[in-house]
Amino acid sequence: MEMAQDRELVEQWRSIQSAYFRTAGAIDRELEARFNIGLNEFEILDLVADNADACRMKQLGQRTPMTQSALSKVVDRLQKAGLITRQSCEDDRRSLFLELTDAGRALHADAAVAHRTLLQENLSQTG
Amino acid sequence: MEMAQDRELVEQWRSIQSAYFRTAGAIDRELEARFNIGLNEFEILDLVADNADACRMKQLGQRTPMTQSALSKVVDRLQKAGLITRQSCEDDRRSLFLELTDAGRALHADAAVAHRTLLQENLSQTG
DNA sequence: TGTCATTAGATGACACGTCATATAGATTGA
DNA sequence: TCAATCTATATGACGTGTCATCTAATGACA
């Protein structure tokens, strides 16, 4: 026994899901194909690029819905790909500062253009 | 060199992401804790329950953003959990009809209440 | 009827996220 | 200064999604 109100809720939810999957999927495929990084990797690059000055893992954690451990692994991959550096921080040696490498900065610049374009294409859609 | 327009896009995207993760996470945790099924499992139960008469995998595939192979595995789990049956279909023996078991119907009834409640709680938030 | 293409669904290898935990450094208080 | 606790990050086991591919059934056309 469903009420009309429930239907609406479920519709709203499906529409969010659909927008999310469509958009995330499109971006992910394109970034993967052209730059060989996934959406999560890009989002971290993007956040680090935004914070011109060095940026702690902890702070990043607060700006993405990613888990701390997911974040740690994403940064691992970015580092292995030579796009980012982890430098331990003097005043608290548990912390790490993240910084883009030149390659990271270059890739980010290009990827960001693709990212914004795909956001525009996908978020404006109705369904 | 970001334009204001881009910022807005990115903001809109973050807000969708955030709504999606918050809501999906909350539902998933609750369903897992109380009914021992995940969000995707529930969504399939929900779709099958909706289609009172028997329902092909193929059709389901068109109503969820899930991959065909993901769907196949979700249905596997639902079947192993005794919530759903797969019956092969006479006029096209490649097709399968899905139907809820009594247990499946019972669980769905309870889980749907929790699901709608959590949708309401989460989708109304600002972000 | 025989071949070729197509379609429904299943499956295995792999990548990634999550949870629980480990590790190492910081902080507090006696 | 020692012990207890807390905090920042890393890691391993595990579950689930994805892609590519497989199988079996169907359809189409000669």
Side-chain angles (χ1 to χ4, degrees), chain B residues 40 67 69-70 73-74 77 91-94:
Chain B
N40 280 346
T67 304
S69 98
K73 293 179 185 190
V74 168
R77 278 173 251 139
D91 39 302
D92 183 344
R93 269 175 309 183
R94 295 166 303 178

Side-chain angles (χ1 to χ4, degrees), chain A residues 11-47:
Chain A
E11 276 319 303
Q12 190 190 344
W13 173 234
R14 294 220 171 118
S15 138
I16 291 178
Q17 278 188 309
S18 153
Y20 177 75
F21 279 112
R22 174 167 29 78
T23 308
I27 298 176
D28 200 64
R29 278 187 295 277
E30 176 118 352
L31 293 178
E32 200 72 63
R34 292 181 47 197
F35 306 102
N36 203 36
I37 63 173
L39 175 53
N40 281 347
E41 279 80 5
F42 173 78
E43 307 236 348
I44 296 309
L45 276 188
D46 206 32
L47 285 173

Side-chain angles (χ1 to χ4, degrees), chain A residues 40-41 67 69-70 73-74 77 91-94:
Chain A
N40 281 347
E41 279 80 5
T67 303
S69 100
K73 293 179 185 190
V74 168
R77 276 173 253 141
D91 40 303
D92 183 345
R93 270 176 308 185
R94 294 166 304 177

Side-chain angles (χ1 to χ4, degrees), chain A residues 29-101:
Chain A
R29 278 187 295 277
E30 176 118 352
L31 293 178
E32 200 72 63
R34 292 181 47 197
F35 306 102
N36 203 36
I37 63 173
L39 175 53
N40 281 347
E41 279 80 5
F42 173 78
E43 307 236 348
I44 296 309
L45 276 188
D46 206 32
L47 285 173
V48 175
D50 212 35
N51 251 49
D53 41 298
C55 162
R56 287 190 176 81
M57 295 280 292
K58 196 66 206 306
Q59 301 168 325
L60 280 187
Q62 291 160 349
R63 293 171 202 246
T64 116
M66 265 181 258
T67 303
Q68 178 265 320
S69 100
L71 180 57
S72 178
K73 293 179 185 190
V74 168
V75 171
D76 256 17
R77 276 173 253 141
L78 288 172
Q79 186 176 20
K80 274 169 196 151
L83 301 172
I84 227 177
T85 59
R86 280 193 255 228
Q87 313 166 42
S88 85
C89 152
E90 283 310 297
D91 40 303
D92 183 345
R93 270 176 308 185
R94 294 166 304 177
S95 283
L96 293 178
F97 281 134
L98 303 183
E99 223 168 339
L100 295 187
T101 62

Side-chain angles (χ1 to χ4, degrees), chain B residues 4-78:
Chain B
Q5 205 182 1
D6 279 353
R7 295 266 176 203
E8 269 178 49
L9 256 187
V10 173
E11 277 318 304
Q12 190 191 344
W13 173 234
R14 294 220 170 118
S15 137
I16 290 178
Q17 279 187 309
S18 153
Y20 177 75
F21 279 112
R22 174 166 28 79
T23 308
I27 298 176
D28 200 64
R29 279 187 295 277
E30 175 118 350
L31 293 178
E32 201 72 64
R34 292 180 47 196
F35 306 102
N36 202 38
I37 63 174
L39 176 53
N40 280 346
E41 280 79 5
F42 174 78
E43 307 236 349
I44 295 308
L45 277 188
D46 207 31
L47 285 173
V48 176
D50 213 34
N51 251 48
D53 40 296
C55 160
R56 286 191 177 80
M57 296 280 291
K58 195 68 204 306
Q59 300 168 326
L60 279 187
Q62 292 161 350
R63 294 173 202 245
T64 118
M66 265 182 258
T67 304
Q68 179 266 318
S69 98
L71 180 57
S72 178
K73 293 179 185 190
V74 168
V75 171
D76 257 17
R77 278 173 251 139
L78 288 172

